[in-house]
Amino acid sequence: MEPTFEEIVAARARIASGIRRPACDHSPLLSELCSAPIWVKREYQLPTGSFKERGARNALLLLPEAARPHGVIAASAGNHALALAYHGRDLGISVTVVMPIFAPIVKQERCRQFGARVLLAGQNIAEAKEEAERIIAIEGQTYIHGFDDRAVIAGAGTIGLELIEEIPDLQTVVLPLGGAGLAAGLGLAIKTMKPSVRIVGVEPRHAMSFAAALSHGSPIKIEMEPTLGDGLAVPQVGPRAFALAKEVVDEVSGVGEGAMLLAILRLAELEKAVVEGAGAAPLAAILDEEPLDLAGASTALILCGGNIDPAVLGRVIEHGLVEDGRLVQFHALISDRPGGLARLTATLADAGASVKQIAHERAFTRSHFAQVEVICTIETRDHQHAMAVLNRLRSEGMPCDVVSGSPLAP
């Protein structure tokens, strides 16, 4: 049975003692970028870095008194696990979390710091859940589902109540779609209070389990590919969440990996917001090759989580700069005589490019013996500027081609 609007209202009062309201800010810079009034709901500002705290605390507070001594258990790629561990410690309830083996190390360690028992099992959430069920049969914990538990869905719905209060002219909400718990709860709250609001769910194209469920008519297990939006990589949406979400989500948008890279970069630069792939998915839908059309509507983006591995963040930023045309690597042929390299760097400087790295290649080039191949990485303003720099080199007798895989490659 799906939660009701009244349960969402009750959840809001119930969790208030342990959940502070994250900021919801109008963003002039994102509004300009997206050609629509943009508001960002900063769920990543919660202590464990995601909206999952709302549902976790609600579920823990609703745990029957007789079940408390046995504790709770959940399968989670990270954010639900963190939320349970944090609020379990606060409420004196023991927590066991079973994470897929790919779960980010930073999330594993933080769960342990919060006092949870962390176990690694399976390649995805479904396989981790099987291990959790095996443990329950032995130890007797209560399972709290990360996106299909009634109390968890109601907790997520409290975001919708806040959005209606914070954005009086709200017309569109763009949110991430994983297991569909957030969409179900938030969508129910929004549609109950203001039915005209458009609800758009965003999934990575590598893991479109909600779209598959819509096509099939019910949740169905899908094959997934690795995605930057790992928090949304759910092989099958929850049946309870889907039953509700399909009634309140107006459309589904799939996003590519490149768009998520760019979205993480844009949010870091423009909003000083460090978010994970799932958190960046709403903005990614607007930046994608097939962009979501906001039609100038006042729009809320749900930045649902900020728990990105620092090592991954560094790679993401570099890849994002490449996608953005601001970091370009190319091969060029220049004179191997004195002054050849100086001429190249002078031309680059004059064209407004900054040289990041240059390497010479003599042994494996088929060029004339009087020429040398250089592999050069430069920083430029954007794709247009990068192409202008490369054309400038060619016009001055220095043939060059961008490396394979670059967005500028033919």
Side-chain angles (χ1 to χ4, degrees), residues 107-120:
K107 293 182 181 180
Q108 297 177 35
E109 290 306 308
R110 287 187 68 199
C111 281
R112 293 188 179 98
Q113 289 168 7
F114 292 143
R117 177 173 60 151
V118 178
L119 305 174
L120 301 180

Side-chain angles (χ1 to χ4, degrees), residues 175-232:
L175 52 80
L177 268 176
L182 173 61
L186 184 152
L188 173 61
I190 293 286
K191 291 292 189 179
T192 301
M193 299 180 72
K194 194 173 182 181
S196 63
V197 174
R198 173 191 179 199
I199 306 291
V200 181
V202 182
E203 294 185 291
R205 292 198 183 98
H206 288 179
M208 296 193 69
S209 56
F210 190 84
L214 287 175
S215 298
H216 187 258
S218 62
I220 183 173
K221 190 173 183 178
I222 66 167
E223 294 295 326
M224 301 183 300
E225 298 179 52
T227 173
L228 181 58
D230 61 295
L232 307 178

Side-chain angles (χ1 to χ4, degrees), residues 27 66 68 88 104 110 115 152 159-160 170 172 217 236 243 260 270 279 324 350 376 396 407:
S27 171
R68 286 186 167 229
R110 287 187 68 199
V152 167
I159 301 173
L170 180 65
T172 300
Q236 182 172 322
M260 278 189 283
L270 302 181
D324 211 17
D350 189 56
C376 188
E396 297 196 13

Side-chain angles (χ1 to χ4, degrees), residues 58-197:
N58 193 43
L60 288 169
L61 287 169
L62 287 172
L63 195 66
E65 196 64 36
R68 286 186 167 229
H70 300 285
V72 300
I73 189 170
S76 167
N79 287 342
H80 179 56
L82 284 167
L84 278 177
Y86 181 83
H87 288 281
R89 182 180 67 176
D90 182 54
L91 298 171
I93 300 172
S94 65
V95 174
T96 298
V97 293
V98 185
M99 293 182 163
I101 58 175
F102 69 81
I105 293 175
V106 65
K107 293 182 181 180
Q108 297 177 35
E109 290 306 308
R110 287 187 68 199
C111 281
R112 293 188 179 98
Q113 289 168 7
F114 292 143
R117 177 173 60 151
V118 178
L119 305 174
L120 301 180
Q123 297 294 322
N124 54 49
I125 294 294
E127 293 179 6
K129 187 173 185 293
E130 291 176 3
E131 176 64 12
E133 290 170 344
R134 186 190 69 79
I135 295 171
I136 290 171
I138 299 171
E139 302 178 2
Q141 297 98 329
T142 297
Y143 188 84
I144 298 182
H145 201 290
F147 51 82
D148 208 43
D149 183 276
R150 184 168 178 162
V152 167
I153 294 172
T158 60
I159 301 173
L161 303 180
E162 293 173 10
L163 289 177
I164 293 295
E165 295 173 352
E166 293 160 339
I167 314 173
D169 61 341
L170 180 65
Q171 295 172 287
T172 300
V173 176
V174 187
L175 52 80
L177 268 176
L182 173 61
L186 184 152
L188 173 61
I190 293 286
K191 291 292 189 179
T192 301
M193 299 180 72
K194 194 173 182 181
S196 63
V197 174

